[in-house]
């Protein structure tokens, strides 16, 4: 136990308030923990508060929930995982009803599954930022919703009014005068709901660092957490990084949360034109440079015509007000190229890390770093099989060629057609000017339902494919132009 930890009046006030809220009812607590300074302060204060309680009063379960988007900066993820491990070990040792969890997006909805599997363009603006919700907010909210199945919960967030004017405004708009807990706008079910508690909302950045470093009247200035890690390691990470802010833990209804300016964000984030955080880390950790190079390459190909379709995934063709057709998802060739280069990058990173470890130029320890998981590769393979890949071996062949080893399901993959048939199909599509994308999809849908005794599903699938707008766009465009010409002629005659 840390003596005189709460001698500062402001910290003592927060401590006493937390204690009052904790003892007031039996609703479990869920703390959003990103590993950043603000969320660390909340976890640290809660951990110490429970540690100071008599064992018979430690009646409330506390969940510390962190998100791994699977594209985290490797340095930050390693730091986060180490702290989660220490928190769980210390909580068990001290007999504290507190458990830390690391939640992740499902394999079918990760960044690479959407980009490489479905062809989603990488986000380049807050308005088209599909990633935050899927990778960070949904997994956290899913965890909270699971707890709501049995009872109300209280969600503790490390948000502060002094972070920014916009953050201050959003917090104040959600405050209910006289109440410490405010109902969350969306996290609820028929019987239960989540309440939000912001215990450090009035602290300044200086206050936060004073707590983290124990540098206040009565503090011992050792910067140690109650679970045994050293917050000076966190200070070093901040010193190496740049920018400010942390990715949101749970969504707000006004959709104003953003991690585009996050200090500890995703290494592949393309919302910002320049990742100042990654650039700053590279100054100290040279082995991170290939990540930056790949990110730059991916951003450069994003809006090139040869890499994109001219219709959306649902077949709709979208035109701007000035008549330009907007790009749709990455085409199949682009997705195969991105996968190839990502796997090559993974090998390069493993080599760079191993060399840095040998040269004692890094404290990072994971030389087996995976940039894309097997579960994601499996999900991508299934999407390709279901949408465009007649060979059904494209992904496993790319993996084997780049990595020099076979995927676990390599031997079980069977092509829909042999190489001769595939060659004939390709030749016929070219000679008759038929879209390979369309023809392949029709063959895949036919194969999918060929053994069904009732042909209804096959008919619906074929009709849906053939009725997509992009297939008939030229005809529709011609009709619209002719109609416009007739209208103009009639107007001139009048």
């Amino acid at each position: 136990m840390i003596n005189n930890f709460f001698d500062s009046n402001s910290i003592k006030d927060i401590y006493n308030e937390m204690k009052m809220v904790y003892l007031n009812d039996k609703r479990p607590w869920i703390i959003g923990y990103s590993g950043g300074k603000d969320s660390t302060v909340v976890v640290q204060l809660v951990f110490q508060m429970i540690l100071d309680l008599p064992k018979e009063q430690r009646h409330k379960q506390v969940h510390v929930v962190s998100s791994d988007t699977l594209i985290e900066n490797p340095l930050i993820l390693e730091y986060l995982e180490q702290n989660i491990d220490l928190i769980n070990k210390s909580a068990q040792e001290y007999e504290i009803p507190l458990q830390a969890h690391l939640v992740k997006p499902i394999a079918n909805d990760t960044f690479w599954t959407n980009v490489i599997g479905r062809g989603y363009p990488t986000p380049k603006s807050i308005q088209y930022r599909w990633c935050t919700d899927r990778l960070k907010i949904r997994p956290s909210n899913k965890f909270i919703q699971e707890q709501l199945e049995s009872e109300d919960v209280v969600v503790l967030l490390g948000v502060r009014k002094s972070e920014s004017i916009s953050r201050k405004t959003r917090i104040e708009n959600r405050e209910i005068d006289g109440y410490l807990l405010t109902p969350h706008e969306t996290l609820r079910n028929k019987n239960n709901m989540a309440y939000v508690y912001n215990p450090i909302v009035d602290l300044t950045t200086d206050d936060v660092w004073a707590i983290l470093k124990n540098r206040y009247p009565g503090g011992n200035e050792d910067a140690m957490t109650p679970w045994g890690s050293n917050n000076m390691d966190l200070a070093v990470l901040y010193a190496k990084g740049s920018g400010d802010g942390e990715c949101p833990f749970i969504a707000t209804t006004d959709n104003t949360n953003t991690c585009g300016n996050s200090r500890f964000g995703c290494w592949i984030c393309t919302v910002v034109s320049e990742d100042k955080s990654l650039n700053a880390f590279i100054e100290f950790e040279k082995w991170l440079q290939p990540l930056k190079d790949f990110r730059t390459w991916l951003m450069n190909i994003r809006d090139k015509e040869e890499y994109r379709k001219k219709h959306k995934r649902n077949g709709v063709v979208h035109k701007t007000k000035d008549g330009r057709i907007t790009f749709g998802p990455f085409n199949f060739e682009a997705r195969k190229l991105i996968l190839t280069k990502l796997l090559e990058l993974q090998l390069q990173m493993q080599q760079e890390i191993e060399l840095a470890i040998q040269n004692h130029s890094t404290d990072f320890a994971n030389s087996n770093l995976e940039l894309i998981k097997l579960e994601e590769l499996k999900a991508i393979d299934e999407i390709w099989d279901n949408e465009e890949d007649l060979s059904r071996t494209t992904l496993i062949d790319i993996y084997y060629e780049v990595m020099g080893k076979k995927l676990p399901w390599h031997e079980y993959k069977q092509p829909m057609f042999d190489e001769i048939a595939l060659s004939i199909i390709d030749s016929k599509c070219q000679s008759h000017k038929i879209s390979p994308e369309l023809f392949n999809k029709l063959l895949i849908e036919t194969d999918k339902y060929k053994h069904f005794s009732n042909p209804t599903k096959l008919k619906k699938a074929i009709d849906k494919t053939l009725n997509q707008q992009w297939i008939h766009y030229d005809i529709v465009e011609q009709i619209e132009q002719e109609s416009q010409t007739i209208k103009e002629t009639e107007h001139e005659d009048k």
Side-chain angles (χ1 to χ4, degrees):
M1 188 174 296
I2 302 176
N3 295 324
N4 299 321
F5 190 83
F6 296 104
D7 282 0
S8 169
N9 287 333
S10 62
I11 301 174
K12 186 181 293 184
D13 289 341
I14 296 174
Y15 169 78
N16 289 333
E17 179 186 283
M18 280 185 169
K19 182 178 178 181
M20 177 190 69
V21 176
Y22 182 89
L23 296 175
N24 185 60
D25 55 52
K26 295 183 178 181
R27 289 178 292 188
W29 280 9
I30 299 176
I31 308 175
Y33 175 55
S34 70
K37 63 184 187 303
D38 297 327
S39 61
T40 299
V41 163
V42 174
V43 177
Q44 184 165 320
L45 291 174
V46 171
F47 196 107
Q48 186 67 47
M49 181 270 295
I50 301 176
L51 188 60
D52 289 343
L53 290 174
K55 290 183 180 180
E56 61 272 15
Q57 292 185 350
R58 300 173 185 176
H59 67 287
K60 180 177 294 189
Q61 181 64 42
V62 176
H63 301 281
V64 177
V65 182
S66 303
S67 294
D68 175 10
T69 61
L70 301 182
I71 46 173
E72 299 289 333
N73 182 309
L75 290 172
I76 305 306
L77 181 59
E78 182 180 59
Y79 174 82
L80 185 61
E81 289 176 334
Q82 289 173 350
N83 273 271
I84 288 174
D85 186 53
L86 286 172
I87 288 171
N88 284 329
K89 288 181 179 178
S90 296
Q92 185 174 10
E93 178 183 349
Y94 292 131
E95 298 183 43
I96 293 176
L98 182 149
Q99 184 177 5
H101 313 263
L102 189 63
V103 298
K104 303 175 183 180
I106 61 174
N108 195 46
D109 206 21
T110 69
F111 184 84
W112 294 123
T113 299
N114 281 309
V115 171
I116 299 175
R118 299 182 176 92
Y120 281 22
T122 54
K124 66 175 182 179
S125 68
I126 293 175
Q127 290 71 31
Y128 187 72
R129 191 194 64 231
W130 53 262
C131 50
T132 306
D133 178 64
R134 285 175 168 82
L135 309 185
K136 204 171 191 73
I137 296 173
R138 283 186 192 176
S140 299
N141 286 0
K142 181 176 181 292
F143 182 91
I144 297 172
Q145 290 288 1
E146 289 172 351
Q147 309 309 310
L148 286 173
E149 290 297 321
S150 56
E151 56 193 330
D152 289 351
V153 299
V154 177
V155 179
L156 282 72
L157 300 178
V159 297
R160 298 180 294 110
K161 291 180 181 178
S162 65
E163 286 184 87
S164 67
I165 297 299
S166 59
R167 174 61 66 87
K168 180 177 183 291
T169 301
R170 292 199 299 274
I171 292 172
E172 290 178 344
N173 287 341
R174 293 196 298 271
E175 284 182 344
I176 301 176
D177 291 340
Y179 292 89
L180 290 173
L181 309 183
T182 57
H184 192 271
E185 299 98 325
T186 59
L187 288 174
R188 62 183 67 193
N189 58 27
K190 293 181 179 179
N191 302 313
N192 304 304
M193 66 183 304
Y195 294 84
V196 178
Y197 174 34
N198 300 320
I200 66 167
V201 67
D202 293 317
L203 293 184
T204 66
T205 299
D206 288 342
D207 293 332
V208 168
W209 282 113
I211 296 173
L212 292 174
K213 297 180 180 181
N214 298 330
R215 293 177 181 174
Y216 49 81
N220 53 26
E221 301 192 14
D222 63 357
M224 297 298 293
T225 67
W227 53 87
S229 65
N230 193 327
N231 282 328
M232 289 308 298
D233 295 334
L234 179 60
V236 169
L237 287 175
Y238 270 95
K240 290 180 178 180
S242 61
D244 205 358
E246 297 173 24
C247 287
F249 174 70
I250 56 177
T252 59
T253 54
D254 56 5
N255 197 32
T256 49
N257 281 323
T258 176
C259 60
N261 296 318
S262 171
R263 181 190 302 274
F264 296 153
C266 305
W267 68 266
I268 194 60
C269 180
T270 55
V271 173
V272 290
S273 57
E274 181 181 5
D275 189 338
K276 295 180 180 179
S277 172
L278 185 58
N279 291 345
F281 276 121
I282 290 172
E283 292 296 318
F284 301 91
E285 304 283 349
K286 304 297 183 184
W287 55 271
L288 290 170
Q289 180 66 44
L291 294 182
K292 176 185 176 181
D293 295 340
F294 182 89
R295 174 184 176 274
T296 301
W297 170 80
L298 189 58
M299 291 178 69
N300 287 339
I301 72 165
R302 185 191 188 282
D303 293 323
K304 291 186 177 180
E305 184 175 0
E306 62 265 34
Y307 295 114
R308 301 282 291 277
K309 295 181 181 180
K310 293 185 178 180
H311 57 84
K312 308 302 181 185
R313 277 183 54 82
N314 61 3
V316 172
V317 178
H318 182 264
K319 291 178 68 173
T320 61
K321 292 182 179 179
D322 59 4
R324 292 183 296 106
I325 296 177
T326 59
F327 290 138
F330 283 117
N331 58 38
F332 195 34
E333 294 303 315
R335 285 180 267 168
K336 291 188 287 185
L337 179 62
I338 295 171
L339 175 61
T340 300
K341 288 190 170 292
L342 180 63
L343 292 173
E344 291 173 346
L345 174 66
Q346 180 167 299
L347 286 179
Q348 182 183 2
M349 288 299 298
Q350 291 173 351
Q351 295 168 358
E352 294 281 352
I353 295 170
E354 185 64 37
L355 185 61
I357 292 174
Q358 292 176 3
N359 294 334
H360 305 288
S361 59
T362 185
D363 293 325
F364 189 76
N366 184 15
S367 60
N368 292 317
L369 177 69
E370 288 184 325
L371 299 180
I372 184 168
K373 306 294 184 182
L374 285 181
E375 295 83 0
E376 295 177 275
L377 290 168
K378 181 68 173 175
I380 294 168
D381 199 15
E382 292 174 356
I383 293 170
W384 284 8
D385 285 355
N386 193 48
E387 295 188 1
E388 295 195 58
D389 187 15
L390 294 184
S391 76
R392 292 184 172 173
T393 61
T394 299
L395 185 140
I396 61 174
D397 289 342
I398 290 175
Y399 187 88
Y400 181 70
E401 182 178 348
V402 175
M403 306 300 287
K405 57 183 179 181
K406 295 181 178 180
L407 286 165
W409 61 92
H410 185 108
E411 303 298 340
Y412 301 99
K413 296 286 295 193
Q414 295 294 328
M416 185 181 298
F417 301 102
D418 59 29
E419 292 185 6
I420 296 176
L422 291 174
S423 178
I424 293 173
I425 291 171
D426 183 62
S427 175
K428 293 298 182 182
C429 285
Q430 292 185 32
S431 62
H432 293 282
K433 296 182 179 180
I434 298 174
S435 165
E437 177 187 350
L438 170 61
F439 198 73
N440 289 0
K441 183 62 174 175
L442 289 171
L443 289 173
I444 289 172
E445 294 296 335
T446 302
D447 183 73
K448 190 187 304 181
Y449 299 109
K450 65 183 179 182
H451 296 302
F452 280 50
S453 57
N454 188 336
T456 303
K457 287 190 176 182
L458 174 58
K459 183 179 184 302
K460 286 183 178 180
I462 298 298
D463 286 346
K464 182 179 178 181
T465 301
L466 291 176
N467 285 321
Q468 292 185 90
Q469 184 184 7
W470 71 273
I471 300 172
H472 313 286
Y473 185 75
D474 291 341
I475 298 174
V476 174
E477 185 81 352
Q478 182 180 349
I479 293 173
E480 289 179 351
Q481 290 175 356
E482 291 176 353
S483 176
Q484 182 64 29
T485 301
I486 292 172
K487 289 181 181 180
E488 292 174 355
T489 302
E490 291 176 345
H491 179 73
E492 290 174 358
D493 292 341
K494 291 180 180 181

